[in-house]
Amino acid sequence: MNLRHTAFAAAFRAITLTGADRWARGLGQGVGAVLMLHHVRPWAGLSFAPNRLLEVTPDWLADALQLVRDEGYDLVGMDEMAARITGPKRDRFAVALTFDDGYRDNVEHALPVLKRFAAPWTLYVTTGYADHAASLWWIEFEHAIRALDQVTLTIGGRIHDHDTRSPEGKQAAFDDIYWALRARPEAELRAAVARLAAQAGLDGPALTRQLCLGWDELRALKQEPSLTFGAHTMTHPMLAKHPVHVAQPEIVEAKYRVEFELGVPVEHLAYPVGDAGSAGPREFELARAAGFSTAVTTRPGHVFAAHAGHLTALPRVSLNGFHQNRAALKALLSGLPFVALNQGRKLDVG
Ligand SMILES: [Zn+2]
């Protein structure tokens, strides 16, 4: 766990130990929280796991849902969350569960837990992953560094050279190169990861096939009454980095494709990567114009009544793999950490 996560963990503990998560509810708690999840699977105990923030264990998911129930919160789907944002004020806080990308482990490990709690959930499908064609570049990047003893890349004219024989060396290479590439055009990022993957002898499409639900598996999920299908674009781009003639079809055609393949209306969208550099006001408008009733970012925060005019710019609360404990979740659902993080602003839609 890095320093930043250690500091967050200490803050979460302090918030719950002082009981602030209860007395501060009026201060920071909104209408609800949209929880963001990616992988749900037993922890493999890896010494190098740079994407660990994107996975939680099935046991922790069960603990988290029990906590939501113990606190007296309502588990709701995204249709109901939208209704609560725009509707009259309710006494009970609402929690929605959203899963990005369309991983097979969501069915294998999350679904049994979700059923036990009768929890509504939303699955944001990336059509290129369901086609087993698009690249899970951040996972390929992790696998390549795991396999390689030396990583050398030139990014923006600067040479990044790392000895990656130890787990520490691999983590240092990941942190350095990941953020250097994120600052570059997306085509350059993807090309660099593809080069490293080839160097490591990695089969990217096989990885997507191994991890992601195909269309037949998704169609089989239509019988789950508590599941809402959403869209997560076609190829998972950082939309705001691209011209509108790329960003718009990624949003519009993903909606139609998921509707066509699964035969259900698709009214909810998640922006890939979802930070301010990947989804901004242009994307919020594109999603609204495409007919989505809600769209979620990865900007951190609760949803408030003030989001009624911004339903395609909703923040989320990450159920983060580095913080799989009740103190952290209690603190996050109190809203208090976001009051500080967002400097008291309820809306972050710019
Ligand atoms: Zn995603």
Side-chain angles (χ1 to χ4, degrees):
M1 200 188 277
N2 66 26
L3 250 166
R4 189 161 163 266
H5 287 298
T6 310
F8 275 125
F12 293 148
R13 274 196 304 277
I15 287 170
T16 41
L17 278 174
T18 55
D21 61 298
R22 291 197 169 271
W23 61 253
R25 279 183 184 178
L27 189 70
Q29 204 168 47
V31 171
V34 181
L35 293 182
M36 167 173 65
L37 294 102
H38 290 80
H39 294 284
V40 179
R41 60 192 176 196
W43 171 234
L46 300 168
S47 56
F48 168 62
N51 288 309
R52 192 178 180 187
L53 73 165
L54 302 177
E55 71 172 281
V56 299
T57 66
D59 286 348
W60 166 237
L61 178 61
D63 279 357
L65 294 182
Q66 186 61 51
L67 183 147
V68 169
R69 194 180 270 175
D70 293 346
E71 295 287 302
Y73 301 152
D74 290 335
L75 284 165
V76 304
M78 284 307 292
D79 286 330
E80 172 69 11
M81 189 61 94
R84 290 195 180 201
I85 292 168
T86 53
K89 193 174 175 340
R90 305 282 192 107
D91 289 339
R92 285 163 71 102
F93 185 71
V95 175
L97 298 162
T98 62
F99 296 75
D100 288 15
D101 303 330
Y103 296 115
R104 194 168 286 125
D105 60 41
N106 295 174
V107 175
E108 191 180 342
H109 296 295
L111 185 53
V113 177
L114 296 167
K115 281 185 163 179
R116 206 170 347 130
F117 286 86
W121 57 301
T122 299
L123 184 63
Y124 296 112
V125 176
T126 302
T127 64
Y129 295 155
D131 288 333
H132 294 152
S135 165
L136 296 155
W137 61 261
W138 61 99
I139 302 177
E140 291 183 24
F141 184 41
E142 171 188 340
H143 282 238
I145 292 182
R146 183 173 293 120
L148 294 168
D149 286 339
Q150 181 79 27
V151 173
T152 308
L153 273 180
T154 304
I155 305 164
R158 218 191 110 212
I159 298 172
H160 296 250
D161 190 24
H162 291 271
D163 177 339
T164 49
R165 282 173 298 183
S166 69
E168 296 74 26
K170 290 180 194 298
Q171 186 66 51
F174 187 97
D175 293 341
D176 172 37
I177 296 171
Y178 178 88
W179 290 109
L181 286 175
R182 278 284 300 272
R184 305 294 301 168
E186 183 156 1
E188 185 181 329
L189 177 155
R190 287 179 180 248
V193 171
R195 261 199 318 280
L196 282 183
Q199 215 181 317
L202 195 74
D203 183 345
L207 194 63
T208 304
R209 205 158 43 242
Q210 179 201 331
L211 292 175
C212 295
L213 295 159
W215 291 113
D216 284 341
E217 292 165 287
L218 289 165
R219 274 187 282 271
L221 285 173
K222 282 171 60 179
Q223 60 182 13
E224 295 300 330
S226 58
L227 169 60
T228 302
F229 287 105
H232 194 41
T233 73
M234 297 194 295
T235 67
H236 205 272
M238 289 174 254
L239 294 163
K241 291 185 154 212
H242 296 274
V244 69
H245 70 262
V246 173
Q248 184 173 34
E250 283 280 353
I251 291 172
V252 173
E253 290 179 25
K255 180 181 197 296
Y256 292 148
R257 179 79 194 285
V258 180
E259 288 180 339
F260 172 77
E261 293 286 350
L262 304 183
V264 295
V266 171
E267 290 170 0
H268 305 281
L269 173 74
Y271 304 105
V273 186
D275 62 332
S278 305
R282 186 192 69 180
E283 285 66 42
F284 305 154
E285 178 52 30
L286 286 174
R288 196 198 59 74
F292 286 102
S293 62
T294 77
V296 291
T297 66
T298 61
R299 300 184 193 209
H302 283 193
V303 296
F304 293 89
H307 283 102
H310 304 276
L311 288 177
T312 55
L314 299 179
R316 285 193 285 179
V317 173
S318 172
L319 206 58
N320 186 307
F322 285 120
H323 303 289
Q324 300 184 57
N325 59 77
R326 291 176 74 95
L329 185 58
K330 270 190 174 179
L332 290 168
L333 295 179
S334 78
L336 198 55
F338 306 111
V339 174
L341 201 62
N342 297 331
Q343 295 162 329
R345 279 180 310 162
K346 291 179 174 171
L347 280 181
D348 174 17
V349 297

